[in-house]
Amino acid sequence: MGKSRIESPSRRQIIVSWFVATAALGFGLVEKAVGATMTNPDVETGNREKVLNSTENLRLAKQFLEKLGSGASADEIASLCTLDLDWNVPGDPGALPWIGHKKGRTAMSGFVRDSKTMMERVSLDIQGVFANEERAVILGHLQSRINATGRLIDGAFAIFLTFSDAKIASFLMLENSFAVSMAARR
């Protein structure tokens, strides 16, 4: 048997996830990474408000994931967002309708509705959810098949959420946008 190459998808996914998680932790994000226990220096210094905000942001991020996974309606999921949601999925805006920078809650409802009709989810693995008093980061791996082309998108992703008044105020999803464009284009 030959040695596994660093370019293998599973190894690449691990490396990307590790770099994103390291960057997220560099921003002071706390909570769990696939069962790991982390300490929060804010608890030790008595900054209870930061801890409460971190906990609330983590709860909101998990609520968002639960709604997505439950098959909730597009409008129900969009109701988790502020009316002026700042939506950003960098990439080729002509490849899929939700790619690009948009404003408003309708960006979320459009994403949920369009992704259900345009793609078949093959697998979704949430590898970690991190939160601090300002944001939450969701790390994962997704495999989806584009219905129009039959091509598979297979890659790691990171979703960065910020919150305002217990709602998602901004949504930034980073993924292999070149692979997404190649899979979606005929």
Side-chain angles (χ1 to χ4, degrees), residues 63-64 66-81 105 108-116:
Q63 180 184 24
F64 170 70
E66 288 168 8
K67 295 271 187 206
L68 276 176
S70 73
S73 73
D75 291 335
E76 186 178 350
I77 294 169
S79 73
L80 299 173
C81 304
R105 187 183 278 178
M108 179 65 75
S109 58
F111 164 70
V112 173
R113 193 172 18 263
D114 293 343
S115 64
K116 284 181 180 178

Side-chain angles (χ1 to χ4, degrees), residues 4-56:
S4 66
R5 297 175 37 184
I6 189 96
E7 291 83 27
S8 71
S10 61
R11 194 163 219 164
R12 195 173 347 155
Q13 294 158 10
I14 292 167
I15 291 168
V16 168
S17 294
W18 181 84
F19 278 114
V20 173
T22 301
L25 292 171
F27 286 114
L29 298 170
V30 296
E31 191 31 48
K32 68 177 184 92
V34 192
T37 302
M38 302 172 67
T39 61
N40 184 342
D42 293 325
V43 172
E44 296 164 11
T45 61
N47 195 338
R48 187 162 168 71
E49 185 176 320
K50 282 185 176 182
V51 173
L52 290 175
N53 288 339
S54 297
T55 303
E56 178 64 6

Side-chain angles (χ1 to χ4, degrees), residues 121 126 151 158:
R121 185 185 323 162
I126 300 300
R151 295 187 188 123

Side-chain angles (χ1 to χ4, degrees), residues 20-162:
V20 173
T22 301
L25 292 171
F27 286 114
L29 298 170
V30 296
E31 191 31 48
K32 68 177 184 92
V34 192
T37 302
M38 302 172 67
T39 61
N40 184 342
D42 293 325
V43 172
E44 296 164 11
T45 61
N47 195 338
R48 187 162 168 71
E49 185 176 320
K50 282 185 176 182
V51 173
L52 290 175
N53 288 339
S54 297
T55 303
E56 178 64 6
N57 290 346
L58 181 64
R59 185 192 68 74
L60 292 167
K62 288 180 176 181
Q63 180 184 24
F64 170 70
L65 289 173
E66 288 168 8
K67 295 271 187 206
L68 276 176
S70 73
S73 73
D75 291 335
E76 186 178 350
I77 294 169
S79 73
L80 299 173
C81 304
T82 60
L83 290 173
D84 63 343
L85 172 71
D86 182 27
W87 173 272
N88 194 3
V89 180
D92 177 3
L96 295 168
W98 57 85
I99 296 178
H101 194 198
K102 303 173 187 324
K103 288 284 190 183
R105 187 183 278 178
T106 58
M108 179 65 75
S109 58
F111 164 70
V112 173
R113 193 172 18 263
D114 293 343
S115 64
K116 284 181 180 178
T117 61
M118 298 178 78
M119 296 188 323
E120 169 198 353
R121 185 185 323 162
V122 176
S123 70
L124 173 64
D125 178 30
I126 300 300
Q127 298 166 340
V129 179
F130 307 87
N132 72 5
E133 68 276 3
E134 297 171 3
R135 69 186 67 82
V137 177
I138 301 165
L139 301 177
H141 181 264
L142 179 66
Q143 289 183 325
S144 298
R145 187 167 315 282
I146 303 291
N147 293 335
T149 65
R151 295 187 188 123
L152 186 69
I153 300 169
D154 183 358
F157 67 87
I159 297 173
F160 296 81
L161 303 172
T162 63

